[in-house]
Amino acid sequence: MSSVALLADPAVGAASAGAAGRMMAFLDDFAGVFTLLSLTAVVTCGLAATDRLVLTPRLRVAMQSVHRASAVAALGFLITHIAVKVVERHAAAQTAVVPFTGGAALAVSLGTIAADLLVLITATGVLRGRFAGSRRPWLWRVLHSMAYVCWPISLAHGLTAGRKAHAWVLWGYGLCAALVALALLVRALSCLGRRRTLRRRRRGAKAYRPAAVRPAALAALSTRSARPSTGARPIAWAARPAPPTTAARRSAQSAGLPRQPKHAARPGPRPLYLAQPGGSE
């Protein structure tokens, strides 16, 4: 009951109406700006996520996360922007979906086209797995690349629709254009580096060519290997001398011969005889 009483109070009602009016005026002025800023972040982070020259794999994953979050934010600001314009009767309801309807001007219709493209881009991002498993994976890339068309159209809509933009708005649009241009430059350099790497690999693969094998050389080699070798001497180990027996050692001691040390009875290293060059071994 206390809340109903507060709302029934004329002063409280006027304050609430004033706050709602200020909120609607703020959204009317800045919802479209926030949509353009979010779309700029979507395009910039999407381009940066494909870079392999500057960013590490971890930073590329982070850029992809920011890219998705910016797309969701851009879609939310777009819905708010359209709802405010329709409620305040700045645009017809059908104009928010179909361009060039309801007596809309060219600048407003450009915003409708950009909105439809943004919804398409977001839908393709959500359904990327479906496109990857289909027979036409290139279709996803073509549809998702509509962001390069959506961004300049939304920029033209923001500059031409509504009242005359302030200087700081123009500077903000210029900054957005500079960020997108920088991201496009990095993307172009990355693609150029990939193409150069592929060309080097292809040149290296073409430069390596195994020698052609002649049938005559194969026949001569097979004939030579089939002939028995005459001068080849196989690898042989020298016969190990037998150790002296106990009786032989005793007879040597009785004859007065000097006793050999223990290490002298061990056989020496066995000589290794290699095959002669020209044999088949």
Side-chain angles (χ1 to χ4, degrees):
M1 296 298 292
S2 59
S3 59
V4 176
L6 288 175
L7 291 177
D9 189 0
V12 176
S16 301
R22 288 192 296 271
M23 179 61 67
M24 290 294 292
F26 176 80
L27 293 177
D28 187 18
D29 293 338
F30 294 100
V33 177
F34 291 156
T35 305
L36 180 61
L37 293 176
S38 301
L39 184 58
T40 303
V42 169
V43 177
T44 305
C45 294
L47 290 171
T50 60
D51 172 61
R52 297 181 181 272
L53 297 177
V54 180
L55 300 182
T56 60
R58 182 175 298 179
L59 290 178
R60 289 200 297 270
V61 173
M63 282 295 175
Q64 291 177 2
S65 301
V66 177
H67 172 70
R68 298 188 184 97
S70 301
V72 175
L75 188 60
F77 288 129
L78 175 64
I79 295 174
T80 304
H81 177 61
I82 294 175
V84 170
K85 293 300 181 182
V86 172
V87 168
E88 292 188 351
R89 296 182 180 180
H90 293 167
Q94 65 270 19
T95 307
V97 181
V98 183
F100 304 103
T101 57
L106 176 61
V108 179
S109 299
L110 289 177
T112 304
I113 296 173
D116 295 340
L117 290 177
L118 181 58
V119 173
L120 176 64
I121 294 164
T122 308
T124 54
V126 174
L127 301 176
R128 182 176 182 177
R130 298 289 184 87
F131 285 95
S134 63
R135 297 181 179 179
R136 299 177 181 178
W138 55 268
L139 183 60
W140 177 88
R141 188 175 296 275
V142 172
L143 294 177
H144 205 68
S145 298
M146 288 294 104
Y148 302 124
V149 182
C150 175
W151 185 83
I153 293 177
S154 63
L155 185 65
H157 166 73
L159 290 174
T160 56
R163 60 184 179 274
K164 185 178 179 180
H166 296 283
W168 64 270
V169 176
L170 296 178
W171 280 104
Y173 284 2
L175 180 60
C176 292
L179 289 176
V180 174
L182 179 61
L184 284 173
L185 179 61
V186 173
R187 176 66 179 274
L189 293 177
S190 179
C191 293
L192 184 60
R194 290 182 187 178
R195 291 181 180 179
R196 289 182 178 179
T197 303
L198 291 176
R199 288 178 183 176
R200 291 177 182 176
R201 291 179 180 178
R202 291 175 182 175
R203 289 177 183 176
K206 291 180 180 179
Y208 175 74
R209 294 182 179 179
V213 180
R214 300 179 180 179
L218 286 177
L221 183 60
S222 61
T223 305
R224 184 178 179 183
S225 60
R227 291 182 300 176
S229 60
T230 55
R233 188 170 64 180
I235 298 176
W237 298 99
R240 179 182 296 179
T245 59
T246 306
R249 288 197 298 269
R250 290 179 180 177
S251 60
Q253 291 177 4
S254 60
L257 296 176
R259 186 176 181 180
Q260 295 182 356
K262 293 182 179 181
H263 62 81
R266 298 178 181 176
R270 296 176 292 180
L272 178 64
Y273 299 94
L274 300 177
Q276 296 180 356
S280 60
E281 296 293 335

